[in-house]
Amino acid sequence: MGIKCYNTLSGKKEEFEPIQPGKVGIYVCGVTVYDLCHIGHARSQIAFDVIVRYLKYRGYEVKYVRNFTDIDDKIIKRAREENLDWKEVAEKYIREFYNDFDKLFMIKPDVEPRVTEHIEDIINVVKILIDKGYAYVVDGDVYFSVKKFKDYGKLSKRSTEEMLAGARVEPDEKKEDPLDFALWKRSKDGEPGWESPWGRGRPGWHIECTVMSTKYLGKTFDIHGGGMDLIFPHHENEIAQAECAFGQKYVKYWIHNGFVNINKEKMSKSTGLFFTIRDVLKKTDPEVLRFFLLSKHYRSPLDFSEEGLKESWRALLKFYGTLLQIKEKLKDVYATVPCTDDYVKSFIERFVNAMDDDFNTAKAIGIVFDTLSHISSINEKEKLGPCYVEFVKAIKEVSEVLGVFMSEPEDFFKRTNTIMANLKNLDIKEIEALIHQRAEFRKMKNFEKADEIRGKLKEMGIVLEDTPSGTRWRFEI
């Protein structure tokens, strides 16, 4: 059985068969670099990060392209607000993008094109559309004529009325039709621009991705990804431009991730309803955030909340804590014979089956926890040891795909304690001194004093666990 993926174009799951056997080209819409990225951006980028990782895991040679929109009205506006050149704004927020996403264990795309590096390519495609009669020029602006493309709407499956509403069309006397959209926009005085056959200007938003994707992946390629909010008008317009310019199918599989909601409303900068990645990472561990975002199927809506993050944190604490407990129980005498437990031995097969079903990370994560729970219930050491070794080896494969479960348990607990201590304004050295003092009282059989310290630590939100190898501590999440 191979991979099945949900194709927005057909509205159903399809067998994944790349255009060229063994090779996959994937283009994912990046960000417009005028501000810090929020959790909605993180969900989209992590969803496709996992899809790329999984395709590679399954043996495909993947070419992964993700763009930066580095010229846009929002960038120009931010430049004025910050009294900077627009190029400085773009560079600043590209740096901030990496600062945020590098913390979330993202793999780097093979190509990261920027719009401003492809102006000549964009002009050439706009020329093709004009020459073929699909676009027209008015006073230095170039518009795509939607009515000339008979398949317009095939991705979003919207009626004309819905498309007019979805595109937020503003009255424009220059347009022949309200749905027509800009391929090239004349620059106003004081705005950045590039010389073109139609005068000084800059690209429209939609043409950018059409040009950059086809430049690096070919006129027809396998996967185009992005958030559901991009289906219309952005991806609909990309299809119209590409298929009119090049006369062939643009993309075989369209994959879109669901929204992140806050109080049942879509997270959005335009409404002010959003949390930046940076702010969230002040309160939690990067692995926790990534785990949280993968805990629902990528197409499902995801409700963001602090309690949801805490639940993910507790789940990872349980995962790493269980691994430590098993390891201590075995005392390093467990690698003498192979694992004979069928449920453990089938772990990777079950994981692959889940991921083959439209990259179902939620189901895959459930399989991880079910398998670990099964292992922890094994009573015989001679059976437990080999199963533990088998699972630890397999979890390294899984972590390469998901980008979670890759920590050493001790490191994860240490990171958790550092974050929580900072949030509570507590000194870890003082905490550890109290724990050492309690240990001394226990040695002296002064359990009353030892219990006093335990109570004091509990008031700080600290849980103690006495083990044969010493006392472990962590904050209660």
Side-chain angles (χ1 to χ4, degrees), residues 374-415:
H374 174 80
I375 292 170
S376 67
S377 69
I378 296 171
N379 293 320
E380 307 88 358
K381 272 191 182 181
E382 61 275 11
K383 186 177 178 183
L384 175 61
C387 290
Y388 171 79
V389 171
E390 178 98 4
F391 181 76
V392 169
K393 181 181 176 183
I395 208 70
K396 291 186 186 301
E397 285 187 39
V398 169
S399 69
E400 286 296 315
V401 173
L402 299 179
V404 293
F405 308 121
M406 80 289 282
S407 300
E408 290 298 324
E410 295 86 350
D411 292 340
F412 185 80
F413 284 112
K414 186 176 181 180
R415 296 201 310 264

Side-chain angles (χ1 to χ4, degrees), residues 458-473:
K458 186 176 180 181
E459 288 175 8
M460 297 178 186
I462 294 167
V463 177
L464 300 180
E465 184 182 353
D466 295 314
T467 74
S469 57
T471 300
R472 281 205 303 265
W473 67 276

Side-chain angles (χ1 to χ4, degrees), residues 321-341:
T322 303
L323 282 180
L324 271 182
Q325 287 169 3
I326 296 171
K327 186 177 179 181
E328 288 176 349
K329 184 177 180 180
L330 291 168
K331 296 181 181 177
D332 298 326
V333 288
Y334 45 76
T336 53
V337 294
C339 175
T340 58
D341 187 286

Side-chain angles (χ1 to χ4, degrees), residues 56 58 93 205 216 280:
K56 290 181 176 181
R58 294 288 267 122
Y93 288 107
W205 175 34
Y216 294 103
V280 172

Side-chain angles (χ1 to χ4, degrees), residues 186-202:
R186 183 177 63 180
S187 293
K188 298 174 184 175
D189 291 341
E191 287 186 346
W194 290 261
E195 295 304 322
S196 79
W198 321 287
R200 185 173 174 78
R202 53 193 171 86

Side-chain angles (χ1 to χ4, degrees), residues 161-198:
E161 291 75 19
E162 289 171 324
M163 286 192 279
L164 283 167
R168 299 187 183 92
V169 176
E170 295 179 5
D172 189 336
E173 293 179 4
K174 295 179 182 180
K175 292 183 182 182
E176 294 177 355
D177 187 286
L179 277 177
D180 292 352
F181 56 88
L183 300 172
W184 187 262
K185 296 165 32 170
R186 183 177 63 180
S187 293
K188 298 174 184 175
D189 291 341
E191 287 186 346
W194 290 261
E195 295 304 322
S196 79
W198 321 287

